[in-house]
Structure formats: C-alpha cells, structure tokens
Amino acid sequence: MPHITIQMYPGRDDETKQKLADEIVKTASEQLNRGKEHFSVSIEDIPQEEWKERVYNKVIDPNNKEVFVKPGY
C-alpha cells in the first residue's frame, strides 16, 4: 500500500525508469508520511497508436474524477 502505476510511451531504458520510480516513491513517501518500503511502482509502456484506446478512453477521460492532473491535449 500504495501501488503506483505509470503508463507512458515506450523509449526509456530501465535505468531511466528506475530513477523515475525512485523519485516518485520518495515524494509519495514524504507526502503520505509512510516509509518507502510500503510503496510499489510499475511502469507500462503503451505504444502511441494504442494510447487513446488503452489509456485515454479508460483512465484519463475528462469525466474521471480520480484523475487529479489532466493532460493539456
């Protein structure tokens, strides 16, 4: 608790993904006042041609009140 899922276009290497995950856990740990050992992070590469169907329509949809930061597109 909690698990954080990151979905993004492919193209980043595992080192970059690890750094991103570490920074997100650091910030979340500080903001939620929980030890880093309580967090898990997964990163899923989604091809650009599948983004609308797999991510935007299912998760980012403007009516989804669980999305706190919406993209500018």
Side-chain angles (χ1 to χ4, degrees):
M1 173 351 239
H3 177 75
I4 300 164
T5 301
I6 301 167
Q7 296 173 307
M8 62 185 182
Y9 291 163
R12 283 110 180 154
D13 60 28
D14 286 347
E15 181 180 350
T16 300
K17 291 176 183 180
Q18 185 64 59
K19 287 179 182 177
L20 174 61
D22 291 343
E23 288 298 317
I24 287 173
V25 166
K26 178 182 173 194
T27 300
S29 172
E30 292 168 358
Q31 292 298 312
L32 299 176
N33 198 28
R34 301 282 299 178
K36 293 178 186 177
E37 68 276 7
H38 296 283
F39 293 83
S40 59
V41 177
S42 62
I43 298 178
E44 181 181 5
D45 289 331
I46 308 288
Q48 185 174 358
E49 61 274 8
E50 297 176 19
W51 188 262
K52 186 172 188 315
E53 178 186 335
R54 291 179 57 192
V55 180
Y56 187 82
N57 290 346
K58 293 183 179 179
V59 181
I60 302 175
D61 180 322
N63 296 319
N64 185 346
K65 296 187 185 324
E66 294 178 354
V67 177
F68 286 88
V69 178
K70 300 195 187 297
Y73 55 82

